[in-house]
Amino acid sequence: MRIEFILKVKPGDILAKSIFSSDGKILLRAGVSLTLNYINRLKQLDVLYVYIEDKRLSDLDLEDIRLNELKVDTLKGVSTIVKKITLNDRVDIMDSLIKVEELMNYIIEFGDINKSLNDIKTHDNYTFVHSIDTGIMAAFLGINMGFERADIVNLGISATLHDLGKVKISKDMLNKSQGLSNVEYSEMKKHPIYGVDILRSNTDLSVKITDAILQHHERIDGTGYPFGLKGNEICINAKIISVCDVYDAISNDRSYRTKFNPKDSYELILAGSGKFFDEEVVKVFKDTFAVYQLGSCLKLSNGVEGYVIKQNKGFPDRPVVRVLYHGKDKKPIRFYEINLLENINLSVECVY
């Protein structure tokens, strides 16, 4: 399969990954032949890209059926929590947290970074998919930092629920396309407090979980919120969630800005090391995540275009790409591969 920008998708292309609503229902199932109506509807939902089946990349398997089931269950659980809070109903948070625990335990046992992230985000499901992706990213960092299983699960729960307090912020404010006023920004900065208040009033969670949620917008240099904590005043789980939250957020379009390109998103995290983000967390982040997704099309500095089929560990911006065609007319060729780690004279010009 390959990643294709929605503006380049053609009728007849076969969807390779299902697209879900905010409550876990399938909007469009993998295997469907995309029609012009489907494509236009995806554009209306602010879908930027989709996964398309491609026999030339059939060895690139990015699907994990069991993982998808667990993510859907978690999506439904988090969605239920938010709906009940919105209606001022009593929330059985522990029931939904069981789903998050199952997801985190699966990541610990069988997690494959290349198959675990990058679900399709729409304007409807963004908040929920962002929360789950942040939880999964945090779990992978916890694993690579040598955390115990129970600590990884707690970290994943905190990260998945990190933005729960935004349910108390008006949708108009959350979706505002212009900058927030000082009053609005002051209110927005309270969402970590709101989130912890909701959890404490509905269940008895450990301090490790609530502190991580409360502090996930704090910054190493003290410029964060809501309390302006700095350095070691911030718990390690909050430091991890901070990196994952920012990285996932800037990698996606929002109402108030367009997304960063993959290289800039990655570089922003590295540039914030020691100032906004914990240096050790950023170091592990660099050793864990790659710049370019498997299946994405890259234009190289020599003008050749190819699809990412493999990552080179320790070199996040130097993947292996498979070239399927030549020229502007994209004439098919007998494909070949370029390992950017072995071709240091080449660089990635853009994601194409």
Side-chain angles (χ1 to χ4, degrees), residues 93-218:
I93 289 178
M94 293 309 298
D95 185 54
S96 296
L97 291 189
I98 290 173
K99 303 300 183 184
V100 183
E101 287 186 21
E102 290 177 358
L103 175 60
M104 294 307 144
N105 278 307
Y106 187 85
I107 293 295
I108 293 168
E109 291 288 342
F110 308 106
D112 180 339
I113 291 174
N114 294 314
K115 296 182 179 182
S116 300
L117 298 166
N118 307 312
D119 286 309
I120 305 303
K121 294 182 176 72
T122 71
H123 63 65
D124 170 60
N125 73 14
Y126 173 83
T127 299
F128 301 100
V129 175
H130 165 68
S131 294
I132 293 171
D133 279 353
T134 301
I136 291 173
M137 286 184 67
F140 278 115
L141 288 184
I143 291 168
N144 289 345
M145 292 181 75
F147 285 17
E148 298 292 334
R149 177 186 288 267
D151 292 329
I152 296 169
V153 171
N154 283 338
L155 170 61
I157 290 173
S158 304
T160 302
L161 298 178
H162 74 283
D163 271 344
L164 181 61
K166 285 185 176 180
V167 73
K168 296 295 186 181
I169 306 293
S170 75
K171 287 187 178 180
D172 288 343
M173 193 184 302
L174 291 173
N175 297 323
K176 190 173 181 181
S177 57
Q178 292 81 33
L180 299 178
S181 68
N182 290 337
V183 173
E184 289 170 331
Y185 187 50
S186 294
E187 176 66 8
M188 183 69 76
K189 290 195 293 186
K190 295 176 183 177
H191 80 264
I193 297 173
Y194 293 154
V196 169
D197 286 345
I198 291 168
L199 291 172
R200 285 175 175 164
S201 64
N202 285 280
T203 190
D204 183 23
L205 293 178
S206 74
V207 174
K208 280 188 176 182
I209 292 176
T210 54
D211 276 357
I213 294 171
L214 197 59
Q215 299 173 14
H216 76 272
H217 275 294
E218 302 290 356

Side-chain angles (χ1 to χ4, degrees), residues 117-342:
L117 298 166
N118 307 312
D119 286 309
I120 305 303
K121 294 182 176 72
T122 71
H123 63 65
D124 170 60
N125 73 14
Y126 173 83
T127 299
F128 301 100
V129 175
H130 165 68
S131 294
I132 293 171
D133 279 353
T134 301
I136 291 173
M137 286 184 67
F140 278 115
L141 288 184
I143 291 168
N144 289 345
M145 292 181 75
F147 285 17
E148 298 292 334
R149 177 186 288 267
D151 292 329
I152 296 169
V153 171
N154 283 338
L155 170 61
I157 290 173
S158 304
T160 302
L161 298 178
H162 74 283
D163 271 344
L164 181 61
K166 285 185 176 180
V167 73
K168 296 295 186 181
I169 306 293
S170 75
K171 287 187 178 180
D172 288 343
M173 193 184 302
L174 291 173
N175 297 323
K176 190 173 181 181
S177 57
Q178 292 81 33
L180 299 178
S181 68
N182 290 337
V183 173
E184 289 170 331
Y185 187 50
S186 294
E187 176 66 8
M188 183 69 76
K189 290 195 293 186
K190 295 176 183 177
H191 80 264
I193 297 173
Y194 293 154
V196 169
D197 286 345
I198 291 168
L199 291 172
R200 285 175 175 164
S201 64
N202 285 280
T203 190
D204 183 23
L205 293 178
S206 74
V207 174
K208 280 188 176 182
I209 292 176
T210 54
D211 276 357
I213 294 171
L214 197 59
Q215 299 173 14
H216 76 272
H217 275 294
E218 302 290 356
R219 298 293 179 254
I220 297 300
D221 64 358
T223 59
Y225 61 83
F227 305 118
L229 303 179
K230 62 174 63 175
N232 290 332
E233 295 174 339
I234 307 168
C235 68
I236 184 60
N237 284 2
K239 292 175 179 178
I240 292 171
I241 296 170
S242 172
V243 169
C244 300
D245 176 35
V246 171
Y247 183 66
D248 188 77
I250 62 177
S251 299
N252 292 277
D253 273 337
R254 302 304 308 277
S255 58
Y256 48 86
R257 57 146 177 81
T258 56
K259 70 174 183 176
F260 287 44
N261 70 53
K263 188 67 178 287
D264 288 346
S265 298
Y266 208 91
E267 290 295 337
L268 185 144
I269 298 298
L270 301 189
S273 178
K275 179 175 175 61
F276 303 126
F277 310 119
D278 181 83
E279 291 181 350
E280 180 59 25
V281 173
V282 172
K283 181 178 181 297
V284 178
F285 169 87
K286 186 178 179 181
D287 292 338
T288 303
F289 301 105
V291 175
Y292 305 107
Q293 301 176 40
L294 290 185
S296 58
C297 183
L298 308 182
K299 185 175 183 180
L300 306 181
S301 55
N302 61 355
V304 170
E305 297 170 17
Y307 290 88
V308 179
I309 62 163
K310 183 180 179 182
Q311 308 291 358
N312 282 309
K313 187 173 177 58
F315 298 88
D317 60 344
R318 309 295 293 178
V320 179
V321 300
R322 180 174 294 167
V323 181
L324 307 178
Y325 51 78
H326 273 162
K328 291 183 179 180
D329 58 355
K330 297 189 176 182
K331 183 179 179 179
I333 61 171
R334 184 174 182 177
F335 57 74
Y336 63 95
E337 293 167 8
I338 300 174
N339 188 338
L340 292 182
L341 190 57
E342 298 173 353

